[in-house]
């Protein structure tokens, strides 16, 4: 086929354009955040970075659940109503943000109240203030997640990309002086301000977009959004609670230093999977828009699986090969980082392919199936980590954690693929009938 023709088709493809912006802009933003993470790790050292990892991981896990699934649900609903009734767009956006604000505020207050108990459980009473401080970060992180979902529903991925780059630059500019002069406290302050900045620029972008849509009078979407989001929220709560427990178990049964090593390695996992992660909203938006056409739906599925696998495999090989070189930048205290990094890189391949299947199940209103599979996977992960740490008396905690995550990822992808093939076979049989 003529290369010029292929280029022309790609440039005319809305899916390609959206994917490009999601990958290029957000990829650069993630790279800036990774650089910030390396600098913070180098300034703090393994043990203090482990404490930073506990606080940051806790915040991100809770914030994921704090959206009540609106990050995905808002994408699906706005993408659909853009095609059938634009008069309801204003109400959808407003209700999505309000639900996120109410629920995240509740969780933030809960964390502030129980921060002392949590810090004492980890045998790190000095973290009480840090957990209280990050209560408000949860609210802004949750609002950012939902606002990105809203922008994805509008298919405004170029805006998300630009905002991601600006947020990454803002984080870099803050974390260097604050961490250098104020240590752990400074790194946490930079994390808070960067989340506030990210939230504000996304909300301003949404406000500008809404000016193009009519303010139609419509009933509240709150109940409908909550009803649809419930299984998605339960998925995220399962992930949040179980992975958070696993982090606490690693800290309790091993050490904050081992958590610091794992946190540093997992950052590179995020970099390897940044394309599939960024494309998740693109996939869900396009699958939701084309849900009435089974042929187009399956075509998009196959295309995105190929793209996700390819864009993960290439950086996976690079990071795996350069793990020793990369780990040298973190300092001498991060012993064993290269081995943990190499184990974790394998999980990225399975996770990236799973992302497409999860988006498809949400788009076809089978989110409860995904919740059940995620719940089983997350419980299995916690049990496996506890068993491995007990058998090894807490030694090499970061490596054992990595092996547990790899095993759980393989099992999850295998199961969700089998289930998808079963549904696809049923659809073909019903069509023939």
């Amino acid at each position: 086929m003529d290369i010029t023709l292929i280029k022309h088709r790609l440039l005319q493809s809305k899916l390609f354009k959206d994917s490009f912006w999601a990958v290029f802009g957000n990829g650069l933003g993630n790279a800036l955040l990774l650089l910030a993470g390396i600098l913070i790790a180098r300034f703090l050292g393994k043990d203090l970075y482990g404490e930073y990892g506990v606080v940051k991981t806790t915040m991100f896990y809770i914030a994921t659940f704090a959206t009540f699934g609106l990050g995905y649900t808002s994408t699906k609903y706005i993408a659909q109503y853009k095609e059938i009734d634009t008069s309801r767009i204003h109400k959808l956006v407003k209700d999505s943000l309000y639900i996120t604000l109410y629920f995240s505020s509740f969780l933030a207050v809960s964390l502030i109240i129980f921060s002392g108990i949590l810090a004492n459980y980890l045998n790190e009473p000095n973290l009480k203030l840090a957990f209280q401080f990050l209560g408000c970060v949860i609210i802004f992180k949750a609002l950012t997640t939902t606002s990105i979902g809203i922008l994805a529903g509008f298919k405004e991925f170029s805006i998300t990309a630009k905002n991601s780059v600006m947020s990454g630059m803002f984080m870099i500019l803050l974390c260097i002086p604050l961490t250098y002069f104020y240590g752990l406290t400074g790194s946490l302050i930079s994390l808070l301000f960067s989340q506030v900045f990210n939230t504000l620029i996304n909300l301003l972008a949404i406000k500008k977009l809404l000016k193009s849509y009519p303010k139609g009078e419509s009933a509240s979407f709150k109940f409908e959004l909550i009803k649809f989001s419930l299984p998605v929220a339960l998925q995220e709560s399962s992930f949040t609670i179980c992975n958070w427990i696993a982090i606490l178990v690693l800290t309790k049964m091993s050490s904050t230093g081992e958590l610091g090593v794992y946190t540093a390695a997992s950052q590179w996992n995020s970099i390897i999977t940044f394309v599939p992660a960024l494309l998740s909203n693109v996939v869900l938006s396009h699958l939701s828009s084309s849900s009435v056409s089974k042929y187009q739906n399956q075509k998009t599925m196959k295309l995105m699986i190929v793209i996700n696998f390819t864009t993960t495999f290439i950086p996976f090989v690079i990071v795996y090969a350069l793990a020793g070189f990369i780990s040298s930048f973190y300092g001498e205290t991060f012993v064993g980082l290269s081995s943990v990094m190499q184990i974790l890189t394998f999980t990225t391949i399975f996770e990236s392919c799973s992302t497409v299947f999860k988006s498809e199940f949400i788009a076809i209103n089978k989110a409860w199936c995904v919740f059940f599979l995620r719940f089983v996977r997350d419980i299995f992960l916690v049990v496996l980590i506890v068993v491995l740490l007990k058998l090894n008396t807490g030694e090499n905690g970061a490596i054992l954690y990595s092996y547990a995550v790899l095993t759980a990822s393989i099992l999850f992808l295998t199961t969700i693929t089998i289930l998808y093939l079963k549904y696809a076979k049923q659809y073909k049989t019903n069509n023939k009938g």
Side-chain angles (χ1 to χ4, degrees):
M1 185 178 288
D2 186 9
I3 295 178
T4 305
L5 179 60
I6 296 175
K7 180 182 177 181
H8 176 73
R9 288 182 177 178
L10 285 175
L11 292 176
Q12 294 301 313
S13 169
K14 178 64 175 171
L15 178 58
F16 174 78
K17 291 178 181 177
D18 291 342
S19 299
F20 169 79
W21 278 112
V23 172
F24 177 76
N26 290 289
L28 182 56
N30 275 8
L32 292 170
L33 291 177
L34 174 65
L35 177 58
I38 293 174
L39 293 172
I40 290 172
R42 196 166 182 85
F43 287 144
L44 296 181
K46 184 175 76 171
D47 292 331
L48 272 181
Y49 190 69
E51 293 184 13
Y52 174 80
V54 172
V55 177
K56 182 180 177 182
T57 302
T58 299
M59 184 272 292
F60 272 93
Y61 281 158
I62 295 178
T64 300
F65 176 51
T67 64
F68 202 78
L70 268 300
Y72 291 105
T73 303
S74 58
T75 299
K76 173 182 168 60
Y77 270 79
I78 290 174
Q80 287 183 337
Y81 274 94
K82 269 189 66 183
E83 304 296 325
I84 59 176
D85 188 358
T86 56
S87 65
R88 299 191 175 190
I89 295 294
H90 275 267
K91 196 63 177 175
L92 275 170
V93 170
K94 183 178 179 181
D95 287 347
S96 296
L97 291 172
Y98 276 175
I99 294 171
T100 301
L101 178 61
Y102 297 150
F103 197 61
S104 61
S105 298
F106 169 75
L107 292 178
V109 171
S110 299
L111 176 61
I112 292 172
I113 293 173
F114 294 104
S115 58
I117 296 174
L118 178 59
N120 289 331
Y121 171 78
L122 295 174
N123 299 321
E124 299 285 349
N126 55 306
L127 289 180
K128 177 181 177 180
L129 184 61
F131 284 128
Q132 291 176 334
F133 174 77
L134 284 180
C136 54
V137 184
I138 289 172
I139 300 174
F140 290 104
K141 176 61 178 175
L143 287 172
T144 296
T145 302
T146 298
S147 63
I148 290 173
I150 291 170
L151 290 169
F154 285 116
K155 293 186 173 66
E156 293 291 347
F157 297 99
S158 61
I159 294 177
T160 306
K162 293 171 186 175
N163 289 351
S164 176
V165 173
M166 287 192 291
S167 297
M169 293 176 65
F170 190 78
M171 178 66 175
I172 287 285
L173 293 174
L174 280 180
C175 78
I176 294 175
L178 288 176
T179 306
Y180 182 80
F181 289 108
Y182 301 103
L184 179 61
T185 302
S187 65
L188 295 176
I189 292 173
S190 66
L191 184 64
L192 169 61
F193 286 166
S194 66
Q195 287 301 322
V196 173
F197 178 77
N198 203 356
T199 301
L200 290 177
I201 59 178
N202 282 325
L203 291 179
L204 287 173
I206 292 171
K207 183 179 180 181
K208 185 176 180 180
L209 283 172
L210 287 176
K211 293 179 180 178
S212 304
Y213 293 87
K215 283 188 177 181
E217 293 294 330
S218 60
S220 174
F221 274 92
K222 288 189 180 72
F223 178 76
E224 185 177 348
L225 290 172
I226 291 173
K227 182 181 178 182
F228 183 88
S229 288
L230 182 59
V232 181
L234 289 175
Q235 289 176 45
E236 293 176 345
S237 66
S238 172
F239 173 83
T240 298
I241 295 171
C242 292
N243 281 271
W244 186 40
I245 290 174
I247 288 293
L248 297 183
V249 167
L250 176 61
T251 306
K252 184 79 173 179
M253 298 181 66
S254 188
S255 68
T256 55
E258 285 297 299
L259 176 60
V261 172
Y262 179 82
T263 302
S266 63
Q267 284 185 322
W268 287 92
N269 246 38
S270 300
I271 292 300
I272 294 173
T273 58
F274 83 87
V275 174
L278 296 173
L279 291 181
S280 60
N281 277 336
V282 178
V283 175
L284 180 56
S285 181
H286 281 265
L287 288 176
S288 298
S289 298
S290 64
S291 59
V292 293
S293 172
K294 194 64 180 178
Y295 170 76
Q296 185 62 37
N297 196 270
Q298 292 179 344
K299 184 180 177 181
T300 303
M301 274 282 295
K302 292 176 182 177
L303 177 61
M304 295 313 302
I305 289 174
V306 172
I307 291 175
N308 277 22
F309 176 81
T310 304
T311 54
T312 302
F313 184 76
I314 295 173
F316 149 71
V317 172
I318 296 173
V319 173
Y320 185 90
L322 299 178
F325 175 72
I326 293 170
S327 62
S328 65
F329 287 94
Y330 285 83
E332 296 178 357
T333 59
F334 286 81
V335 179
L337 175 59
S338 60
S339 298
V340 176
M341 195 180 298
Q342 288 179 324
I343 297 168
L344 274 181
T345 54
F346 280 104
T347 67
T348 59
I349 298 174
F350 305 101
E351 290 172 357
S352 65
C353 294
S354 299
T355 301
V356 182
F357 288 103
K358 287 187 288 186
S359 296
E360 167 67 357
F361 274 67
I362 292 173
I364 62 175
N365 298 321
K366 292 191 180 294
W368 282 106
C369 294
V370 182
F371 161 65
F372 176 75
L373 294 178
R374 285 284 297 272
F375 180 73
V376 172
R377 171 202 179 277
D378 295 336
I379 293 294
F380 172 79
L381 176 63
V382 173
V383 173
L384 184 58
I385 289 170
V386 172
V387 171
L388 290 176
L389 288 174
K390 278 190 175 181
L391 290 175
N392 292 271
T393 62
E395 295 292 325
N396 300 315
I399 290 179
L400 295 176
Y401 196 123
S402 303
Y403 276 123
V405 173
L406 174 61
T407 304
S409 298
I410 293 172
L411 291 176
F412 179 77
L413 176 60
T414 302
T415 307
I416 199 169
T417 302
I418 293 172
L419 191 59
Y420 172 76
L421 293 175
K422 178 183 176 182
Y423 281 123
K425 185 178 180 180
Q426 286 178 351
Y427 175 80
K428 288 182 180 180
T429 301
N430 293 338
N431 252 15
K432 289 179 180 178

